[in-house]
């Protein structure tokens, strides 16, 4: 069976978990406190971070490379469209969330509020939290603009772009940092993706010291 | 003809430029001072950064999504191998350089020494420069370890992984921040890639206020 070394609220791990679950690839989860630099773990992944996936006799790192591999090796159900143009749009949006959204929002809210405490790195920087809370509004508006034109973020079918976005937003929702009242289309999109069987395990996550709010796992939030 | 909005020393732009040149796609270059937030440019790319490529009637951003698109639309000569395993390794290494190397080295040396001055953001933070100078050694050793086992970084053929690495290293070489004496295999690898016709335009780059050292464009460095 495949095995994923992860931390529950990492959006990069969640993107891989969603891909695995959607493709019905059974996978054992192992929490990895990667910041403690366990030598065994560093041997598995010289980059020293999660996710790390053991599958098909290999040990893999880098979430986007892993998701592209899963797509090529386990093509059904597809999380990438067929045409080069449509695939470009999926990859552009995956990068949008994993780079831009991550640096402007996730790292400033989730990492300040949760990771710092879990890793024993002190208190949240209130300036960062303020900047993140401001930036997420602009990103939700961008998503709303996309979803005004499309059924899913990258087009008319659900793709890895939706999973990348949902991975970040679900982690932030765990700490109540997403205002779902800002945009109806974004809320509808999240309700659709949240109700997929692939999402169940993520909604059952629990981080010690950070109980999730009631709406987190509620499909009718 | 295609048109690329770029800045000369951006490793992300250089990766795209190398892909375009290797595939013999003619492309006009336009320097874009993206940090000045020109509204016309923001319309072309809401992420507000370079590279932005106009090609095939579309305007594209995100360097990795662009390179994957070029690979699918202009497959010859190939910069990605055929098997899922080999493609994974290419993508893992592209992420290694664009994420890890970028945050640990490029952002701490190039951005401190050049970008800050060009963008009018003050003087280099000496702590960052020191950290970057330390980290690049570890990365060169990792490359040497890979190249002890392989002809190119991801395997026996040249791929996008080599271009991603060469894009970062060539930008750092422009400010003399690469110690080519550290590893003979890494130097040999760079000599091979530097002598490709695709590299010529990059070796001719000039940044105002930062004249390149003599060895930068020298194929026998």
């Amino acid at each position: 069976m495949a095995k994923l070394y992860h931390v529950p609220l990492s959006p990069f791990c969640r993107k891989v978990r969603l891909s695995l679950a959607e493709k019905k690839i059974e996978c054992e989860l192992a929490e990895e406190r990667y910041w403690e630099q366990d030598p065994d773990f560093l041997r598995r992944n010289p980059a020293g971070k999660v996710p790390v996936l053991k599958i098909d006799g290999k040990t893999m790192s880098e979430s986007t490379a892993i998701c592209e591999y899963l797509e090529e090796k386990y093509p059904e159900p597809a999380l990438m469209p067929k045409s080069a143009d449509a695939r470009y749009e999926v990859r552009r949006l995956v990068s949008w969330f994993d780079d831009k959204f991550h640096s402007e929002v996730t790292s400033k809210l989730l990492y300040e509020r949760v990771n710092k405490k879990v890793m024993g790195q002190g208190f949240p920087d209130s300036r960062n939290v303020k900047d993140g809370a401001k930036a997420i509004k602009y990103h939700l508006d961008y998503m709303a603009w996309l979803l005004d034109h499309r059924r899913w973020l990258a087009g008319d079918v659900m793709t890895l772009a939706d999973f990348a976005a949902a991975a970040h937003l679900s982690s932030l929702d765990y700490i109540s940092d997403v205002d779902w009242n800002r945009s109806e289309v974004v809320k509808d999109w999240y309700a659709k993706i949240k109700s997929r069987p692939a999402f169940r395990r993520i909604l059952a996550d629990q981080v010690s010291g950070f109980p999730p709010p009631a709406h987190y796992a509620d499909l009718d939030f």
Side-chain angles (χ1 to χ4, degrees), chain A residues 1-59:
Chain A
M1 202 199 324
K3 184 170 182 177
L4 184 74
Y5 298 87
H6 81 127
V7 295
L9 296 187
S10 155
F12 303 103
C13 296
R14 286 185 166 207
K15 184 178 61 175
V16 173
R17 289 166 71 192
L18 288 168
S19 288
L20 287 164
E22 187 73 19
K23 289 174 181 296
K24 300 194 169 55
I25 301 167
E26 274 196 72
C27 184
E28 180 191 343
L29 292 179
E31 252 189 85
E32 181 64 58
R33 297 170 70 84
Y34 62 92
W35 56 93
E36 291 173 358
Q37 304 262 314
D38 171 41
D40 269 357
F41 180 66
L42 288 175
R43 206 156 29 239
R44 284 193 290 274
N45 177 19
K49 59 183 187 176
V50 289
V52 167
L53 178 65
K54 286 182 119 165
I55 194 169
D56 303 336
K58 286 181 299 290
T59 302

Side-chain angles (χ1 to χ4, degrees), chain A residues 181-199:
Chain A
N181 292 321
R182 190 167 178 90
S183 154
E184 209 172 324
V185 284
V186 175
K187 189 179 180 183
D188 288 349
W189 164 86
Y190 190 61
K192 268 196 296 184
I193 207 161
K194 194 176 180 179
S195 63
R196 295 187 83 82
F199 229 82

Side-chain angles (χ1 to χ4, degrees), chain A residues 2-218:
Chain A
K3 184 170 182 177
L4 184 74
Y5 298 87
H6 81 127
V7 295
L9 296 187
S10 155
F12 303 103
C13 296
R14 286 185 166 207
K15 184 178 61 175
V16 173
R17 289 166 71 192
L18 288 168
S19 288
L20 287 164
E22 187 73 19
K23 289 174 181 296
K24 300 194 169 55
I25 301 167
E26 274 196 72
C27 184
E28 180 191 343
L29 292 179
E31 252 189 85
E32 181 64 58
R33 297 170 70 84
Y34 62 92
W35 56 93
E36 291 173 358
Q37 304 262 314
D38 171 41
D40 269 357
F41 180 66
L42 288 175
R43 206 156 29 239
R44 284 193 290 274
N45 177 19
K49 59 183 187 176
V50 289
V52 167
L53 178 65
K54 286 182 119 165
I55 194 169
D56 303 336
K58 286 181 299 290
T59 302
M60 319 180 103
S61 57
E62 298 296 348
S63 69
T64 296
I66 291 172
C67 290
E68 294 267 8
Y69 172 84
L70 293 176
E71 194 59 26
E72 295 184 352
K73 204 85 172 195
Y74 303 89
E76 298 298 332
L79 291 172
M80 287 287 277
K82 291 271 178 271
S83 81
D85 287 4
R87 293 162 73 81
Y88 157 75
E89 182 65 356
V90 172
R91 290 181 175 124
R92 179 184 76 81
L93 286 168
V94 171
S95 289
W96 178 284
F97 286 99
D98 285 350
D99 288 352
K100 191 175 171 70
F101 188 96
H102 175 258
S103 73
E104 294 177 358
V105 181
T106 312
S107 69
K108 302 210 162 150
L109 294 175
L110 186 72
Y111 294 5
E112 290 291 341
R113 287 199 215 270
V114 179
N115 297 32
K116 267 190 170 174
K117 188 174 173 196
V118 171
M119 297 178 186
Q121 292 174 351
F123 295 99
D125 177 324
S126 61
R127 180 60 198 252
N128 278 342
V129 172
K130 210 174 147 191
D131 287 349
K134 194 173 160 195
I136 193 174
K137 293 179 187 172
Y138 154 77
H139 281 278
L140 290 172
D141 291 349
Y142 180 59
M143 291 175 72
W145 179 80
L146 291 173
L147 291 166
D148 273 338
H149 299 77
R150 304 167 171 178
R151 287 190 57 221
W152 295 92
L153 286 174
D156 284 336
V157 292
M158 191 190 72
T159 66
L160 197 56
D162 298 288
F163 280 178
H168 284 271
L169 287 173
S170 63
S171 295
L172 291 164
D173 193 37
Y174 189 96
I175 53 170
S176 298
D177 265 338
V178 185
D179 174 10
W180 295 114
N181 292 321
R182 190 167 178 90
S183 154
E184 209 172 324
V185 284
V186 175
K187 189 179 180 183
D188 288 349
W189 164 86
Y190 190 61
K192 268 196 296 184
I193 207 161
K194 194 176 180 179
S195 63
R196 295 187 83 82
F199 229 82
R200 270 180 214 148
R201 219 161 158 184
I202 276 174
L203 297 181
D205 277 344
Q206 294 276 349
V207 180
S208 162
F210 293 90
H215 76 266
Y216 172 72
D218 187 355

